[in-house]
Amino acid sequence: MSPSTAEIEDRLATVVDPHTQCSLVAGKSLMGCDISDEHITIKLSLGYPGASWHDSLRQQIIASIADMAGTRTMDVQISTRIMSHAVQKNLKPMPGVRNIIAVASGKGGVGKSTTAVNLALALQSEGARVGLLDADIYGPSQPMMLGMHSRPETADNKLQPVMAYGLQTMSIGYLIEEDTPMIWRGPMVTGTLQQLLNDTAWQDLDYLVIDLPPGTGDVQLTLAQQVPVSGAVIVTTPQDIALLDAQKALRMFEKVSVPVLGIIENMSVHICSNCGHSEDLFGSGGGDKMADKFGTRLLGKLPLNRQIREQADNGYPTVAAEPESHHAGLYREIARNLAAGLALKARDFSHRFPNISIVKG
C-alpha cells in the first residue's frame, strides 16, 4: 500500500531544521513529494546556504519515512534559493547585492574582524556568492587578514572587487599604504564608506558582509540609515563590560529598524594547548543572557584560540586555511544559523513593481 502525500508531509512536519528552528513544513521548505510503486522523491528548497549539512538532512528525512517506504527507493533532492530580503524603509537593495549583513560590536578587541572574514568565508563554503567590505576607515584590517595588498583595478568608472579566497572584497586598506594614518573628520569618513560601497562593481552577490568599526559613531549611523541592510550580527565576549557595549550596538540597530539576526559570543572559552584544561577567562553565559534579554538568538560560541589568531595575522583565515577543522565547522554552523534566520524575514518585492516615468509630449 502506498503512503499518501499527506502522510509523508505529516512525518516531515516532525523534522525540525535546527538552523531555522522550524519544521520543514512550517518553514515552507517542502516543495513537493512524488510517490510511485518504485520510488519516493522528496523535493526541498532551503532559503539559505547549507551545503555541508545537506547529507545529514537527507539521511534524517529518509529515516523519518523509512517505515512507510517499503521496498521503494527514496530520493531527497535539496536545492538552495537565496532571496533578497526587506531593508529599511525608503531604501532598496543595491544592484548586484541581494542582502547586506552588518557585523558590529560595541567595543574593540572582541575579535569582530576575525569573525567577519571567517563568517564570509563560511557562507561561501556553504554555497553562497559572498562579498566582504571593510568599513573601518581608520583601522582597516581585512587586507592583512586576507593576505591581499594589491590595488583594485578600475573599469567603467567602477572599482573592481579584489578577489581573495573566492570572496569579492574591498577596503580603504587597498588604496593607501599600511602605515598611512587616516586623519579625517566624520563627514569624510562616511563619504568614503559610501564610495567604497557604491562605486565597487559587486557582481551577483547573495550576501555582502560589512565589517563595521567598533562603536556606534558616524560610520555605523550612516550605514544604518543610508545603506540597505537586511540584518545585523553583534559580536561580543562573555565579559560584562563587552556585553554592556554590545547592548548599545544592538539598540542602535533596533532604533533604525535593522533586524538583529543574533549574537556571536567570541572568546567563549580557552583550552590550554598543553594540558587541555578549559577556562572561562572572560566569564561565561554572557551571550545567552543578552540573547534572552533582547529576544534574539545566540548564533554560536567561538573559543579563544591561538591558531585562529595566528591564521588571521598571517593572511590565511581559519575557514580557508583548515576548512575541515573543528573551528571552521563552528564558523559554518554560525553562518548557517544567521543565513537561516534571515531567510525567515520579510522578502523584498520592490523589483516586481515597475518604474513609472512621465514624459511630456
Side-chain angles (χ1 to χ4, degrees):
M1 183 175 178
S2 297
S4 67
T5 299
E7 288 174 326
I8 289 181
E9 287 185 0
D10 286 343
R11 285 291 181 88
L12 295 181
T14 67
V15 178
V16 175
D17 181 340
H19 306 107
T20 63
Q21 299 180 331
C22 296
S23 77
L24 297 177
V25 175
K28 299 181 180 179
S29 299
L30 181 62
M31 294 291 104
C33 179
D34 298 323
I35 305 169
S36 70
D37 291 337
E38 293 84 22
H39 310 286
I40 295 177
T41 302
I42 294 171
K43 298 178 182 179
L44 300 176
S45 179
L46 303 181
Y48 64 94
S52 69
W53 180 65
H54 286 181
D55 284 343
S56 177
L57 174 60
R58 189 174 288 110
Q59 294 305 315
Q60 189 176 355
I61 290 170
I62 289 173
S64 71
I65 61 173
D67 63 320
M68 303 172 68
T71 59
R72 298 174 183 83
T73 59
M74 289 183 282
D75 181 24
V76 179
Q77 301 173 4
I78 304 173
S79 62
T80 299
R81 189 182 182 195
I82 301 171
M83 306 296 292
S84 181
H85 292 274
V87 297
Q88 307 94 306
K89 292 180 180 179
N90 304 319
L91 295 177
K92 293 182 180 180
M94 286 178 53
V97 180
R98 291 184 181 84
N99 300 286
I100 292 178
I101 298 174
V103 180
S105 66
K107 67 189 298 293
V110 299
K112 170 188 53 60
S113 292
T114 303
T115 301
V117 66
N118 278 296
L119 199 57
L121 288 165
L123 286 167
Q124 178 186 254
S125 72
E126 290 294 328
R129 289 178 60 88
V130 185
L132 176 64
L133 174 64
D134 186 352
D136 194 340
I137 306 300
Y138 292 121
S141 56
Q142 291 302 344
M144 179 178 179
M145 290 187 175
L146 292 165
M148 302 297 295
H149 303 286
S150 58
R151 290 184 179 272
E153 297 179 357
T154 59
D156 299 325
N157 295 319
K158 287 276 192 177
L159 289 169
Q160 301 302 302
V162 175
M163 299 303 297
Y165 304 114
L167 298 176
Q168 298 178 36
T169 74
M170 185 53 62
S171 170
I172 190 67
Y174 294 144
L175 303 172
I176 61 172
E177 298 299 326
E178 273 190 1
D179 58 353
T180 300
M182 305 304 291
I183 310 174
W184 289 352
R185 295 191 184 276
M188 294 181 68
V189 172
T190 56
T192 301
L193 171 61
Q194 291 279 21
Q195 283 188 296
L196 290 176
L197 179 66
N198 296 312
D199 292 348
T200 299
W202 307 109
Q203 300 169 17
D204 191 28
L205 294 180
D206 295 313
Y207 306 102
L208 175 60
V209 176
I210 299 186
D211 178 18
L212 285 175
T216 53
D218 288 336
V219 172
Q220 293 86 346
L221 286 173
T222 295
L223 180 132
Q225 294 175 337
Q226 300 178 27
V227 176
V229 180
S230 301
V233 178
I234 309 297
V235 180
T236 186
T237 66
Q239 189 178 8
D240 289 343
I241 192 66
L243 289 164
L244 182 64
D245 291 327
Q247 291 176 39
K248 295 174 184 176
L250 189 149
R251 286 293 193 197
M252 179 194 71
F253 286 114
E254 284 185 342
K255 289 182 178 180
V256 293
S257 302
V258 173
V260 175
L261 302 174
I263 297 164
I264 299 172
E265 186 181 277
N266 198 26
M267 307 182 196
S268 180
V269 64
H270 174 256
I271 299 176
C272 178
S273 57
N274 290 324
C275 67
H277 173 70
S278 63
E279 190 170 7
D280 301 322
L281 295 180
F282 296 104
S284 62
D288 296 279
K289 293 174 184 176
M290 183 174 166
D292 289 342
K293 178 179 178 179
F294 291 96
T296 189
R297 184 178 181 184
L298 181 65
L299 297 171
K301 299 182 179 183
L302 296 163
L304 175 61
N305 180 266
R306 185 179 67 182
Q307 193 170 30
I308 292 175
R309 191 270 304 165
E310 289 176 343
Q311 288 167 338
D313 284 351
N314 291 326
Y316 206 14
T318 300
V319 175
E322 294 185 292
E324 301 304 318
S325 67
H326 172 69
H327 295 140
L330 293 177
Y331 283 115
R332 285 197 301 272
E333 182 179 5
I334 290 171
R336 293 193 300 268
N337 286 340
L338 81 87
L342 178 58
L344 297 175
K345 301 296 182 183
R347 294 179 180 176
D348 171 70
F349 296 106
S350 61
H351 64 284
R352 296 189 179 182
F353 299 99
N355 292 321
I356 300 174
S357 59
I358 300 174
V359 180
K360 293 183 179 181

